[in-house]
Every structure is written in C-alpha cells, then in structure tokens.
Amino acid sequence: MKCSLVLFDVNETLSNLEGMAQHFEEVGAPPGTAALWFASLLRDGFALTAAGVNPRFAELAEGSLRWVLASEPLNRNLDDAVGHVLDAFQELPVHPDVADSLTALAERGIRVAALTNGAAGTATSLLERAGLLSHFEAVLSVEDAPLWKPAASAYGYAAETCSTPLAEIALVAVHPWDIDGAARAGMRTVWLNRNGADFPAYSTAPDETVQHCTEIAAYLNP
C-alpha cells in the first residue's frame, strides 16, 4: 500500500489505557468503571460533533467522569476522586510495540504524525515520556480542526497541516469508527486489532489489519 505519511490515532492506539482500571479501584469504583467512563466520554463527544460542536476533550473527560463516579461508593470525596483519575490519565504509558514500529517506518522513509481527539499537549507529553516525540513531524489535535474525528473535516485538517493529500496518508487506529471515518474522508487505513475482535460489518473495512504496531511498515511503501 503506497503512502507517504502514517497518521496515528493517540488514545488507546499509542497510549495504553489498561492500567486505568486500577486507578478507578483506588478511589473505590469497580474496575469496569474505567471502560464505562471512556465510552461515555466518546459518546458525548460524538453527539456534540454530530450537532456541529467541537467540544474540548478535557471538559468532557471531567464531566463524564463525575457522572460515572457519582453513584459509586467512593473512599474519598468526588472532587478528590476525579482529580486522582484524571492525574493518572495524564501519565499513561505507550504500548510496548510502538517504539519498534516507529523505527521501522523511519527506515522505510515514511513520515509520521499523530491526530488526537484529545489535547495536543497531552499527546505530546505521552510521546516525550516514552522518548518517541522526535519520530513525529506533527502532533495534532482536533481542538484546532473544525470537528472531532470521525468527521471528514478532522482528517482534512491533518492533511492540510501536513501538506499531504488525503490519498497518500494511512491512518492507523484501534477504533473501527476512526478507520471508517478516515476511509470515507479518502485516506488509506490500517486497523490495529490488538484484541482479535471482528471488524464491524457496518463500517468501511480497513485496507490492512495488523495485530501489532511492528507489522505496519511491512504493508506500506513510500
């Protein structure tokens, strides 16, 4: 598959959210609350996007967190619990296969950027902590785009900022909704299927499917 730029999603694609369940348990909430919180956050973000609003990720993250924690038997007050969880979210690690995949892409002469529905500063800090920021020519946020992904304008913003045609960009993401949105916008797509799930039949199928980041470079030609 020919492309000149790989555009990585950030949340769950590069960042590893698996440890968030522990931080919810630390404040007295069941571990499953972590998944409920993140799903609620995305749901509300998508709903606002459908209404033509470009919400701030941080505002939604806190608001949805207060909503899911309000009914839990917390071991501290709600403000402290929210602060504890959000602080942990700011210190996430990257998945262990990310570093080798970036090296492989660089060796093939393929440029790399990131596009997140979160804040650019959070994504930049994630990559800095992992020592990987130098691999990325740009770390972009939809806060500077017209709308969140999967709206076409979000991918168009990334293409324009990176001075690269949509057809020459391959989006890498773990989320089928992101793959579908990028495909509909005119990008090539690589689905990072870390858990072996089936791709939803109602979404636009990816051009390639991999289980590990290290497989990505083998499918791409500059």
Side-chain angles (χ1 to χ4, degrees):
M1 183 170 66
K2 182 175 176 60
C3 82
S4 59
L5 174 71
V6 168
L7 186 68
F8 280 95
D9 171 53
V10 177
N11 289 323
E12 294 190 286
T13 299
L14 296 178
S15 64
N16 188 344
L17 271 66
E18 292 176 359
M20 288 301 298
Q22 172 188 334
H23 300 298
F24 276 82
E25 288 184 275
E26 288 168 354
V27 301
T33 313
L36 174 62
W37 165 62
F38 200 69
S40 299
L41 162 58
L42 292 179
R43 177 203 63 199
D44 293 347
F46 295 158
L48 289 167
T49 297
V53 177
N54 189 359
R56 291 185 60 82
F57 187 92
E59 180 179 349
L60 287 179
E62 180 174 349
S64 60
L65 182 57
R66 288 183 178 279
W67 181 78
V68 299
L69 289 181
S71 60
E72 299 296 342
L74 304 177
N75 55 27
R76 63 196 74 188
N77 67 54
L78 182 59
D79 287 342
D80 288 346
V82 167
H84 180 82
V85 171
L86 292 180
D87 285 348
F89 188 76
Q90 294 295 325
E91 297 297 328
L92 292 172
V94 300
H95 285 280
D97 59 348
V98 171
D100 287 344
S101 72
L102 295 174
T103 299
L105 290 168
E107 289 173 348
R108 295 182 70 89
I110 298 173
R111 299 153 52 214
V112 174
L115 176 64
T116 180
N117 276 351
T122 299
T124 298
S125 295
L126 169 79
L127 297 170
E128 283 180 335
R129 290 194 305 275
L132 300 175
L133 184 59
S134 62
H135 288 276
F136 290 79
E137 68 175 53
V139 179
L140 308 175
S141 168
V142 297
E143 290 183 353
D144 299 311
L147 291 169
W148 274 35
K149 299 182 292 175
S153 58
Y155 306 103
Y157 158 73
E160 181 178 357
T161 303
C162 294
S163 303
T164 307
L166 283 161
E168 295 182 14
I169 302 174
L171 178 89
V172 175
V174 299
H175 306 288
W177 56 261
D178 207 353
I179 295 295
D180 180 78
R184 293 179 189 276
M187 283 184 177
R188 309 307 299 269
T189 56
V190 179
W191 183 37
L192 182 55
N193 183 14
R194 293 189 184 277
N195 60 11
D198 292 330
F199 194 85
Y202 49 76
S203 296
T204 307
D207 292 304
E208 304 290 349
T209 298
V210 299
Q211 285 192 303
H212 304 283
C213 273
T214 50
E215 302 172 55
I216 296 169
Y219 289 100
L220 304 180
N221 294 308

